[in-house]
Amino acid sequence: MTQSARVQHTSGTVFVVDDEEVLRDALSWLLRSRRLLPRAFASADDFWAAAERGDVRPDSPACLLLDMRMPGMNGMALFERLIENGWLGLMPVIFLTGHADVATAVLAVKRGAFDFVEKPFSDNALVDRVVEALARSAEALAQRHEREGLRRHLSELTEREQEVMRLVIAGRANKQIADELDISVRTVEVHRARVFDKMDVKSAVELANLLRGAGLD
């Protein structure tokens, strides 16, 4: 697939936060021309007010093109709020910076910003990074969805099933689990089968890998 085709088939919202109307309009036009959906805000305060109202939420692929210097709340202050609210991984930030802000932007990247683009910028290079940021967002959202699903499955386990599951993951044989929990081997087998069914796995190894991959082990 060519790079241009990859850009044209990308889905997601690109939030543009910049106090310069001309730049907001130009970026919105550029993004729409590549079949990307822009939402523009004239200030970081406007963006955050929308977030507090629930009009902006990290529940679908999105990224943020964020100007560094603006009246009121500046780009770094908004960036800090995204970090505090756990949005940064779900909504990658690409800073738009002037030459004087490059050092600050580099520090922001070290803190988790996706990238920074110095003004004036190449349209193609910027859109390429936007596409990559949207892909990162989609991946993070998929991982969050998987973790939430696993947590729901775990919540469906009884206390005894959770005890059996922990011992199964630890590599204990059914007889060892029965001795440790003072129950029969047959009861262990029943609980083990129910755990595998509720967690939708076929083996102890698969269960352990599933929990480990989601950071729930």
Side-chain angles (χ1 to χ4, degrees), residues 13-212:
T13 303
V14 184
F15 295 102
V16 179
V17 181
D18 196 295
D19 62 314
E20 294 184 35
E21 184 177 3
V22 172
L23 184 57
R24 289 197 309 274
D25 290 345
L27 285 170
S28 295
W29 180 89
L30 171 65
L31 293 166
R32 284 193 295 268
S33 74
R34 306 299 177 86
R35 299 186 183 180
L36 297 169
L37 175 65
R39 280 191 64 187
F41 293 86
S43 70
D45 294 290
D46 288 348
F47 176 88
W48 193 247
E52 290 184 320
R53 292 194 305 269
D55 293 340
V56 172
R57 296 182 59 82
D59 53 9
S60 60
C63 73
L64 177 58
L65 291 177
L66 179 59
D67 190 23
M68 187 69 75
R69 294 190 182 187
M70 290 175 286
M73 186 193 307
N74 62 28
M76 281 301 297
L78 177 56
F79 179 69
E80 293 294 337
R81 292 196 181 185
L82 296 176
I83 293 174
E84 291 169 4
N85 285 270
W87 285 22
L88 195 57
L90 303 172
M91 187 184 294
V93 173
I94 300 174
F95 277 106
L96 303 177
T97 73
H99 179 71
D101 301 315
V102 169
T104 304
V106 170
L107 291 175
V109 169
K110 290 181 179 179
R111 294 208 59 206
F114 187 77
D115 203 352
F116 71 92
V117 177
E118 190 174 355
K119 302 174 184 177
F121 46 78
S122 160
D123 289 353
N124 288 334
L126 177 61
V127 173
D128 286 346
R129 291 303 280 159
V130 165
V131 169
E132 292 167 7
L134 290 172
R136 175 81 61 85
S137 173
E139 181 180 352
L141 286 164
Q143 292 172 349
R144 184 180 72 170
H145 181 72
E146 181 181 5
R147 287 194 299 271
E148 290 173 347
L150 285 174
R151 289 192 179 98
R152 284 195 298 271
H153 292 325
L154 288 170
S155 70
E156 294 171 358
L157 299 179
T158 66
E159 184 176 349
R160 178 63 84 186
E161 287 168 352
Q162 290 179 26
E163 291 175 337
V164 170
M165 182 185 71
R166 285 192 289 270
L167 294 172
V168 166
I169 291 174
R172 304 286 202 281
N174 287 352
K175 180 63 168 62
Q176 293 172 310
I177 296 173
D179 291 342
E180 186 163 339
L181 298 180
D182 195 25
I183 56 179
S184 70
V185 172
R186 176 56 185 159
T187 300
V188 171
E189 292 172 348
V190 170
H191 286 314
R192 184 186 184 113
R194 287 175 178 168
V195 168
F196 284 10
D197 182 60
K198 289 180 180 180
M199 298 302 294
D200 193 25
V201 297
K202 302 298 184 184
S203 69
V205 172
E206 185 181 353
L207 176 60
N209 289 338
L210 184 66
L211 295 175
R212 187 179 303 110

